Amino acid sequence: MKFLKILFSQTNLFKNIKKCSVCEKRVIGFDSLDDYFFNKWQENKYIHSIFDLETFNFINYSCPHCKSSDRDRLFAIFFKNFLKKQSNKKKINFLDFAPNPALTKMFKKFKNLNYRSVDLCSKHADDIADITDLNIYKDNTFNVLLCSHVLEHVLDDRKAISELYRVLRPGGFGIVMVPIHLSFSKDYEKAGINSENERWKHFGQNDHVREYSKKGFISKLKEPGFIVEEIKESYFGSSVFNKHGIHSRSTLYKVIKV
C-alpha cells in the first residue's frame, strides 16, 4: 500500500482521477468509443465529421463499470442536482424514453420520483409504445421527462415532439437530446436512403433517418409551444465536466411547457 501511495503521488494520478456520476465509481479514465463505429464510418465512407458533434466525447465515452456514455453522465449530474432540491416536495412523475439500465437504477434511488420508462421494443422499459403515439398516457401526466437520442430514429419527429408536449404537465420540463452537427445550417435529411450502408454513409448509423442542426432542432422543439433553454458547461463548471469526462461543448436542451 505504501508503494502505491508513493507511485500515485509521483505520477499525480490522484489529481487526474475521474468519476462516473451514474454509478459513482472512480476511474483512472473512461473508455473510448468502440472501434466498431469508427470501422463502420470508414467502411461506408461517412460524409460528415464526428468532430462537429456537439455532445459527444468519443475519447472519454463510456464508464468501464456501468457503460454509461458521456451524455448519460451529464444527465446524472443535472438530475441529481434537481432531485435533491425537490426532496421535501411532492412526488415527481418522471418519464424516461429508451431507458439506460444504469441510469434507471440511479433514478430509482430517489424516493420522491415516480419513475416510468417507455420504448417501442426495449426489454428494459416499463411500457411499450411508439413515441409518435403515446396514447397509453393521458394529457399532462408527467412533471419531467428525458428523451435522449430517440428522435433521429423517428420518421415523423414533429409528431413525436408534439406527443412529448402533450404528456408533459404545464410548468413541467424535459431534457430532449439528439446528435447535433454544429457545422450544419439546417437538418440533414435525404429521400430514398433506405439501406443500412447508405444510412451509415449519410446519417452515421444504420437506424438513423436524419442528422440535426442546432437551429433546426430548436425550431422543431418550439413548434408545439416549448420554451427551449440551453444548459452549457458554464452552468456546471469546467472542473465538473473534466471530472466526469464530458466535452466542453456539450449542451443539454431543456424544454419547458408553460
Side-chain angles (χ1 to χ4, degrees):
M1 183 61 71
K2 184 177 180 180
F3 169 76
L4 287 175
K5 287 183 178 180
I6 294 173
L7 178 63
F8 275 118
S9 176
Q10 289 178 344
T11 59
N12 289 319
L13 282 177
F14 276 141
K15 296 181 181 180
N16 297 315
I17 288 292
K18 308 294 185 184
K19 184 179 180 181
C20 176
S21 54
V22 179
C23 68
E24 298 288 348
K25 291 184 178 179
R26 297 185 181 277
V27 297
I28 294 176
F30 294 102
D31 293 336
S32 61
L33 185 70
D34 195 287
D35 286 344
Y36 168 81
F37 291 95
F38 294 102
N39 292 336
K40 279 293 184 181
W41 291 329
Q42 184 175 25
E43 175 188 333
N44 294 286
K45 299 180 180 178
Y46 180 47
I47 63 174
H48 306 300
S49 172
I50 62 171
F51 297 99
D52 292 335
L53 287 166
E54 186 174 63
T55 305
F56 184 38
N57 193 341
F58 59 86
I59 300 298
N60 294 295
Y61 182 71
S62 63
C63 172
H65 300 288
C66 70
K67 307 304 178 186
S68 293
S69 68
D70 56 323
R71 64 178 181 271
D72 294 326
R73 299 193 296 274
L74 185 54
F75 301 152
I77 296 167
F78 174 82
F79 280 113
K80 281 180 178 179
N81 288 337
F82 167 73
L83 291 169
K84 286 175 182 177
K85 292 177 182 177
Q86 305 297 315
S87 59
N88 295 322
K89 298 181 181 180
K90 292 181 180 179
K91 286 214 171 187
I92 299 165
N93 291 331
F94 185 102
L95 183 60
D96 186 9
F97 289 83
N100 168 286
L103 268 178
T104 297
K105 183 178 180 180
M106 182 206 80
F107 282 130
K108 288 186 175 181
K109 291 179 181 178
F110 289 89
K111 295 180 179 180
N112 59 327
L113 202 66
N114 288 325
Y115 176 86
R116 199 78 189 166
S117 61
V118 61
D119 193 72
L120 186 59
C121 54
S122 174
K123 64 181 180 180
H124 301 294
D126 297 315
D127 301 320
I128 303 299
D130 187 330
I131 192 173
T132 63
D133 185 11
L134 297 171
N135 60 72
I136 61 173
Y137 306 127
K138 295 180 180 179
D139 295 359
N140 308 319
T141 298
F142 298 97
N143 306 98
V144 182
L145 61 82
L146 171 61
C147 180
S148 173
H149 287 229
V150 175
L151 296 174
E152 68 273 17
H153 300 265
V154 179
L155 287 173
D156 192 349
D157 57 345
R158 284 184 167 88
K159 183 65 170 66
I161 293 169
S162 70
E163 281 290 87
L164 298 183
Y165 187 86
R166 181 184 66 80
V167 302
L168 195 63
R169 289 179 180 175
F173 76 90
I175 298 295
V176 185
M177 303 287 287
V178 295
I180 289 179
H181 278 268
L182 294 174
S183 62
F184 290 2
S185 59
K186 61 181 181 180
D187 294 353
Y188 180 80
E189 298 181 90
K190 195 173 180 66
I193 301 297
N194 297 313
S195 72
E196 289 194 2
N197 290 347
E198 284 293 294
R199 285 181 173 175
W200 275 111
K201 179 179 180 179
H202 289 276
F203 307 133
Q205 201 161 305
N206 63 313
D207 53 357
H208 287 188
V209 298
R210 75 180 59 78
E211 299 222 63
Y212 287 89
S213 65
K214 178 185 281 285
K215 182 179 179 181
F217 181 54
I218 292 175
S219 177
K220 285 180 177 178
L221 291 176
K222 288 182 177 180
E223 284 180 9
F226 280 130
I227 294 173
V228 181
E229 294 181 357
E230 296 181 51
I231 303 176
K232 299 176 177 288
E233 182 187 48
S234 57
Y235 176 89
F236 301 96
S238 58
S239 60
V240 172
F241 268 35
N242 180 62
K243 180 179 180 180
H244 297 286
I246 298 166
H247 198 283
S248 60
R249 64 170 173 255
S250 296
T251 301
L252 290 180
Y253 290 85
K254 181 180 179 180
V255 296
I256 303 165
K257 181 175 178 178
V258 295

